[in-house]
Every structure is written in C-alpha cells, then in structure tokens.
Amino acid sequence: MKYDCALIQDLVSLYQDGLLSEVSQNIVETHLQECESCKAYYLTYSEESPFSFPKEKETVEVLHFSKKIKHYRCFQAGLFLLFIAALLTMLLPWFGYGGVSEIPGAIVLQHPLAILGIAFVTFSIWYPFRKNGKRMACGFTGFGLLAGMELWEFLLVPSGSTVGIQFGNWNYDLPYLKGIDLLYSFRMTLPGFYLGISSMAACILLFAIFIKYAKRIG
C-alpha cells in the first residue's frame, strides 16, 4: 500500500525517537527505501540512520576499487622491502675460505650498471605507469642488470684482477678473464652468495606477480 509522503514525513520524528509501533515502523522504513524524496528528507533530518539503505551500485564499485588500491599499495611496499632485504644480503660474505679471506657481495655495487639496475627496479615499483608493459620492461631490465653483475662477480672474482681503473675517488679492478675457473668459483663460494641469489630470485618472482596484479588494477 502506498502512503502519502507528507504523512511519512510527519512520522519521521516519531520514528527517529523510536515511538512508533512495529507495524508503523515497518511502513516508514519501506516507504523510505522506495521514495527518494522522503529518503532525502530523512537524511537531512538525521545524519545517522537507524536502518541501512541499500547501497547504490556506484558506491559498491567505489568501495571495491578502494580496497583493490589498498591491497596494491601493501603489495607495492612489501615488494620494495623484499628488494631492500635482497640488497642487504650483499653485506654477507659471498666468496672466501670461512673467515680467512672473505669478499662480501657488496662488490657487485662497484659496477655502475648494478647501481643503474637498482634505480630501474625501484622506479618500476613506485612509478605510476599508465602502460603495464613499460613497468615490466623497466623492472626486468633492472633485475637483468643486477643478475648480470652477480654472475660477472661469481665467475671473475676468484680469478683475481690485473688492471685498475681510477675515476677520482672511484676505483674498479678489471678481472683477468683468462683466469676463469668455474670449479674454483664454486669452491670459493660461501652460503651468503646462495642466500643473495635466492632472495633476488624471490624478488623477481614477486615482481612478476606484482605486474599481473597491477594490470588488473589498471
């Protein structure tokens, strides 16, 4: 049964104070859900409604999207923290003989290309790319540079170096390429190296998942 809007609006104050019978209360609630003008009148009368109106489709979509953005930000921060943790493993000894002549993985950071790789990865995580393909290219380029420098050091550090290049306060030794011995490299490798490689591989895997998630957000 349809009720006059003026009648319902007269009952709003009694409804708000809880003075209506159960039948009258149901009548008011049903009318407010069906009549936009009376609903607007009630909302101006009271900021807090004692019953919930059905959420509009747009409101539900906005809430759902805001949750996805929140999850994306958490994913983004988690990936970056894992990447920092992977870089910190370079402080552990990667090569040497158990505390006798240990070489930390931080030697990787002597390479300008490795520093550029870190910049690429950081940029790919935080920059709001409009096209997901550009994020992917930027990130995997950075990881590729870091992985390349890690492989370079793994093969060449145990062979020693013969030539040094000096640029101001920056110095880099060029390894003796003919001295590469894969078995010797493995014998020189300490657990810190494998931890560093494993953590970087975990970063690459998580970055690939991050790319898929970012594509769904976009």
Side-chain angles (χ1 to χ4, degrees):
M1 179 183 294
K2 292 286 185 180
Y3 292 91
D4 186 71
C5 290
L7 173 62
I8 297 299
Q9 291 176 14
D10 287 341
L11 294 176
V12 160
S13 60
L14 298 175
Y15 171 77
Q16 176 66 25
D17 294 333
L19 300 178
L20 295 178
S21 66
E22 184 177 351
V23 174
S24 299
Q25 180 178 324
N26 290 336
I27 290 173
V28 172
E29 289 181 358
T30 301
H31 185 88
L32 291 177
Q33 290 178 3
E34 296 174 350
C35 179
E36 292 297 326
S37 60
C38 288
K39 182 194 297 185
Y41 175 82
Y42 177 75
L43 291 177
T44 57
Y45 183 86
S46 172
E47 294 182 357
E48 296 184 1
S49 172
F51 71 99
S52 8
F53 294 110
K55 292 182 179 176
E56 300 292 339
K57 182 179 178 181
E58 294 79 6
T59 304
V60 174
E61 290 177 352
V62 168
L63 289 174
H64 180 63
F65 184 72
S66 65
K67 287 182 180 179
K68 289 173 68 175
I69 291 296
K70 184 178 180 180
H71 293 160
Y72 170 81
R73 294 302 182 195
C74 291
F75 202 152
Q76 191 178 38
L79 174 59
F80 183 69
L81 290 176
L82 178 61
F83 180 60
I84 295 299
L87 294 177
L88 289 177
T89 62
M90 294 183 182
L91 301 178
L92 300 172
W94 278 19
F95 303 98
Y97 294 101
V100 178
S101 78
E102 295 178 346
I103 303 173
I107 54 172
V108 171
L109 300 182
Q110 292 178 1
H111 293 269
L113 289 180
I115 298 173
L116 185 62
I118 293 173
F120 268 111
V121 173
T122 303
F123 189 71
S124 69
I125 293 174
W126 291 110
Y127 186 77
F129 287 90
R130 291 186 178 181
K131 294 185 177 180
N132 217 31
K134 292 183 177 180
R135 183 193 300 276
M136 182 166 35
C138 181
F140 283 117
T141 297
F143 282 117
L145 289 172
L146 281 170
M149 294 305 99
E150 289 174 342
L151 178 62
W152 173 273
E153 292 297 348
F154 173 75
L155 293 174
L156 301 179
V157 164
S159 69
S161 59
T162 56
V163 181
I165 299 179
Q166 184 77 34
F167 291 102
N169 295 326
W170 182 80
N171 180 71
Y172 178 65
D173 291 330
L174 292 177
Y176 178 57
L177 300 181
K178 292 183 179 180
I180 294 176
D181 184 340
L182 188 59
L183 292 178
Y184 185 59
S185 294
F186 274 109
R187 286 199 300 269
M188 287 278 287
T189 304
L190 296 176
F193 173 79
Y194 298 107
L195 178 61
I197 292 295
S198 299
S199 58
M200 194 60 67
C203 283
I204 295 173
L205 177 60
L206 192 62
F207 181 74
I209 298 173
F210 176 69
I211 289 293
K212 291 185 177 181
Y213 193 79
K215 185 176 181 180
R216 283 164 45 190
I217 293 289

